[in-house]
Amino acid sequence: MRGFNPVAALQSLLEGCRVLVEGATEGTGFFVAPGFVVSCAHVAGVEAGVHTRVRWNDQDYEAVVVAASADAADRTSALYAFPDLAILELLDPPDGHPCVWLDMARPPQGTELTAVGFTDTLQACAAAPRRVRLTAGGRTAQASGQLVELVDGEINPGLSGGPVLNHASAGVCAVVKATRLEDTTMGGFAVPLDALRLLDPDVYRTVVEKHDRFHRSDPRWGMLSDRMEQPPVGDGAFDRHFLGLLSALPDSHNADRSHAAAFLAVAAPGTPLPERPMLAHRDVYTELTALMPPPDGELPYELAFCADLAREMAGAPSHTAGAVTELRDHVLIASGRLGLGSAVQARLAGSGVPARRTSVIGRVRHSLRERSLYHVMVWRFRSPHDIVPGASESSPLPLREALALLSDLLAQQIVLMGDTPQSRGLIELILPREVLDEDFADWRLWPEVGYWSLGRKYDLVVRPLERHEAPYLHAAWEERWRHLEGKRVGEALVCVCGRDRQRQAALDALFNKDPALAALALAGSPRQSPVADAYMVALTSGVPMMVWRRGSVPGPRVCGSPCGVPGRDACPDPGFLTQAREFLSDVPRDDVPDRICALRNDAEIEAEGEGHIGEHVVLLWDDPSRRIPRTPLAPAAPVEEGQPVE
């Protein structure tokens, strides 16, 4: 159409979604799904269940606040506490009203924006509609979040709760919160829309599912956004279509645990979890689209996520089977257009995703404020999409109490894991260095069966806490793990003791030059110098596999000769290295935990005691694909006077 302006048309449609809200104060809101309105909490009301009035097209409608954020009890700022958002549901909504498209990405500085709302600044008797062109400025920190600065335009009183349209993405990216404070230049503040994920999770899931289903069937917004003169970021039609498909699938209501695992399963190694909790399939998808694209020839992260969902839901009940089949078909079509049909076929079949054993993962970590106290938490790992926390993280405990709690929690979770002799589960313990050499293998979790030890009954491995909580170490870790793929571990093992030419700087230089150094036989415990120094270099260099004898130190019996460069010079007194290479000579990377368990049983059967490698053997086996969702460090509660601390 000659003279057609898609930006102006989209602005007009945005105004058609605008409503006047008369709640705690008078302000603005906007339709996000059939019958649902988003506004500010300080406008609509701060408590769920509060009734208010919404006016659209000169008609009044009764609404109820179904979710809202609370204000700070001790607020001293002029601004309501972050996120200051509310969701309202109309009791008898009008038919056919439009809805905005939600864009959860925060607008980069300099992005052109439009805000719409109402103001009585120029018309004292009634609130008048207002549209204002703006630009995204910087960020202003508020407790619990950051506000988007709105500049190059004026935000009048009454626009609070109004939608902010991003011209680049063609979606509503924020909610107007306030004008600039007194004695500042004109403009205002807005709340980024991803902060809706801080409201009631069930309400949020309901609204975004209805939003995505609406836009799948209603073309008004999509037709205009696809004609924007500045092309939308990414492929808007592609994303709208897939989000519509995802909205028809059953979703997990286990907070953000399984969604976090799904995100980590397809994102590039070392990618941190998003700032906001992921509460729905949509959140995982949109967060993946915000990442840097994968290397050429690899599936886009969001497409890999959809493929994983289609594969895992293949046996869904009949009422959702059609939605799963449709998702699978569109994944195949989209990947075919990208020339990646074989890659997605492999992922749908499961061959594009590493096989993963069921396991129980236990973690012991320091309290943030008091390193002599420890927190304990356990998970059941069934797949990267299915990581179930056994319980909330414990309060800070002295070390011995923490380990006793870990023992109890492991016993409970092993029962739930469903371990069988034919399919033995894995026990993974993520531990700080000072705890690695504990005798976990000899733990008796069930006193009534006193001859059952943890290390002989199950495949038991330890993993280094320090690396799991340092994302900058993850890239090297991933690379060295890949170097072990397809190799026999016995061939890859080299001895490290930390003495002579194995001082820390020399070892670091060696690891920097040779990414294939990925499996070590330590000449002693990582708690004892000089092996402790070598262990830390190996840890930070990404070495994913190490074996040693618990409690041992380099000496005449273990290693009594000067040592050269690992992997280059022959060990003059190989000792433990020779035994380890012999017993792991034909073992591939992923089977090492099973072989170590067998060695522990062999040592007991043969009763050779100290002479058998299976006696006191410890395996550090750190598969980077078996990561738990990152959780923030918890500060310790104040230690009361007289309370024992280990």
Side-chain angles (χ1 to χ4, degrees):
M1 182 186 303
R2 182 173 297 175
F4 176 74
N5 184 335
V7 175
L10 198 57
Q11 289 171 328
S12 295
L13 182 56
L14 179 70
E15 291 176 333
C17 301
R18 170 184 55 194
V19 301
L20 178 68
V21 177
E22 296 177 349
T25 62
E26 188 173 272
T28 306
F30 53 100
F31 283 114
V32 295
F36 286 92
V37 165
V38 164
S39 183
C40 283
H42 81 262
V43 171
V46 299
E47 293 183 6
V50 171
H51 285 249
T52 187
R53 187 172 64 173
V54 165
R55 178 172 297 170
W56 180 73
N57 281 359
D58 297 324
Q59 294 291 322
D60 288 340
Y61 299 90
E62 186 179 2
V64 61
V65 176
V66 291
S69 62
D71 196 6
D74 55 351
R75 174 165 61 93
T76 57
S77 166
L79 295 181
Y80 189 98
F82 190 90
D84 190 11
L85 292 176
I87 299 174
L88 299 81
E89 183 176 10
L90 276 62
L91 300 184
D92 186 18
D95 294 330
H97 69 75
C99 298
V100 306
W101 174 257
L102 298 177
D103 171 20
M104 298 297 184
R106 302 178 195 184
Q109 190 168 354
T111 303
E112 292 187 351
L113 308 171
T114 295
V116 301
F118 296 92
T119 182
D120 58 8
T121 300
L122 301 178
Q123 188 172 329
C125 61
R130 172 155 166 74
R131 176 198 297 183
V132 56
R133 289 286 294 264
L134 300 153
T135 302
R139 300 284 189 269
T140 295
Q142 197 181 10
S144 304
Q146 287 189 332
L147 301 175
V148 177
E149 295 177 2
L150 306 175
V151 298
D152 298 335
E154 185 175 359
I155 298 296
N156 305 110
L159 267 72
S160 292
V164 179
L165 174 69
N166 181 333
H167 292 200
S169 69
V172 169
C173 64
V175 180
V176 176
K177 175 179 174 64
T179 63
R180 290 293 181 99
L181 303 181
E182 189 176 354
D183 299 328
T184 64
T185 58
M186 63 183 181
F189 299 103
V191 182
L193 261 180
D194 66 348
L196 284 171
R197 282 147 57 180
L198 300 176
L199 302 184
D200 184 301
D202 290 329
V203 174
Y204 171 80
R205 275 188 285 261
T206 297
V207 170
V208 296
E209 287 172 6
K210 289 180 179 294
H211 165 276
D212 291 339
R213 291 173 188 170
F214 171 84
H215 285 286
R216 189 182 180 196
S217 60
D218 190 298
R220 284 175 285 182
W221 194 282
M223 289 176 62
L224 294 176
S225 66
D226 291 343
R227 297 185 64 181
M228 294 283 280
E229 292 180 6
Q230 182 176 356
V233 176
D235 187 336
F238 180 92
D239 291 339
R240 286 194 302 274
H241 185 72
F242 271 96
L243 289 172
L245 293 172
L246 294 177
S247 69
L249 299 178
D251 210 339
S252 167
H253 286 217
N254 182 29
D256 66 329
R257 294 292 180 185
S258 60
H259 295 304
F263 175 90
L264 293 174
V266 298
T271 302
L273 284 174
E275 176 186 358
R276 305 285 184 229
M278 290 178 287
L279 304 175
H281 295 320
R282 152 185 258 274
D283 301 334
V284 182
Y285 184 99
T286 56
E287 291 288 355
L288 289 170
T289 62
L291 301 178
M292 292 292 290
D296 291 342
E298 294 188 12
L299 285 172
Y301 300 127
E302 62 273 18
L303 202 57
F305 165 64
C306 291
D308 287 353
L309 280 179
R311 182 187 69 251
E312 293 173 3
M313 293 185 175
S318 57
H319 65 281
T320 59
V324 175
T325 299
E326 189 174 5
L327 176 65
R328 178 188 175 92
D329 290 345
H330 282 85
V331 165
L332 289 168
I333 293 169
S335 62
R337 290 173 179 169
L338 296 172
L340 299 172
S342 58
V344 85
Q345 285 278 12
R347 196 165 191 104
L348 286 166
S351 56
V353 181
R356 293 174 174 89
R357 297 173 59 184
T358 299
S359 74
V360 172
I361 301 178
R363 182 184 66 193
V364 177
R365 64 173 177 174
H366 309 97
S367 170
L368 182 62
R369 295 178 182 168
E370 177 52 70
R371 289 183 65 83
S372 65
L373 300 179
Y374 298 82
H375 298 269
V376 180
M377 192 166 180
V378 296
W379 293 262
R380 293 192 308 281
F381 180 104
R382 292 190 285 250
S383 79
H385 297 268
D386 192 357
I387 304 175
V388 182
S392 300
E393 190 168 52
S394 76
S395 59
L397 299 168
L399 178 58
R400 289 301 140 197
E401 293 181 25
L403 294 180
L405 176 61
L406 175 63
S407 175
D408 292 341
L409 294 176
L410 288 177
Q412 298 169 14
Q413 298 305 310
I414 287 171
V415 172
L416 296 173
M417 179 174 62
D419 182 80
T420 68
Q422 291 75 29
S423 178
R424 186 162 53 236
L426 185 64
I427 310 299
E428 306 176 75
L429 304 180
I430 301 174
L431 307 165
R433 184 177 65 170
E434 67 268 24
V435 187
L436 285 176
D437 221 28
E438 290 286 323
D439 192 9
F440 300 106
D442 201 42
W443 274 11
R444 265 64 171 176
L445 301 187
W446 292 275
E448 64 274 17
V449 191
Y451 47 85
W452 276 22
S453 78
L454 185 63
R456 292 199 307 270
K457 203 71 178 177
Y458 303 97
D459 293 352
L460 169 68
V461 302
V462 297
R463 308 178 69 181
L465 173 74
E466 294 82 0
R467 182 157 61 205
H468 282 254
E469 297 194 332
Y472 63 91
L473 299 178
H474 291 180
W477 173 26
E478 291 271 356
E479 182 180 7
R480 292 190 194 277
W481 182 259
R482 285 193 296 269
H483 273 283
L484 285 175
E485 188 171 2
K487 289 185 179 178
R488 304 299 176 183
V489 171
E491 302 169 1
L493 275 178
V494 298
C495 184
V496 169
C497 69
R499 303 188 304 177
D500 303 313
R501 296 175 67 188
Q502 297 185 20
R503 64 193 187 282
Q504 283 189 315
L507 275 177
D508 180 59
L510 177 66
F511 285 126
N512 291 341
K513 290 180 62 178
D514 190 354
L517 283 177
L520 304 181
L522 302 185
S525 163
R527 292 189 62 180
Q528 306 288 336
S529 293
V531 179
D533 298 333
Y535 168 81
M536 286 308 299
V537 178
L539 170 69
T540 56
S541 298
V543 174
M545 191 179 302
M546 307 182 214
V547 290
W548 66 88
R549 273 201 176 96
R550 184 174 60 85
S552 61
V553 296
R557 188 183 157 278
V558 177
C559 181
S561 303
C563 293
V565 178
R568 182 189 303 171
D569 300 330
C571 183
D573 185 10
F576 180 67
L577 173 65
T578 299
Q579 287 186 299
R581 281 179 170 170
E582 177 185 350
F583 282 97
L584 299 175
S585 61
D586 61 342
V587 182
R589 178 193 69 186
D590 296 344
D591 292 344
V592 173
D594 185 70
R595 176 58 62 88
I596 294 296
C597 182
L599 290 176
R600 293 189 184 110
N601 282 290
D602 288 343
E604 188 66 28
I605 293 170
E606 297 175 20
E608 294 184 12
E610 296 293 331
H612 196 285
I613 187 177
E615 186 71 19
H616 306 309
V617 68
V618 180
L619 171 64
L620 185 150
W621 186 85
D622 200 20
D623 180 350
S625 70
R626 305 176 67 86
R627 272 179 271 185
I628 55 177
R630 291 180 62 194
T631 52
L633 286 170
V639 179
E640 297 180 4
E641 186 176 353
Q643 178 179 340
V645 177
E646 291 195 9

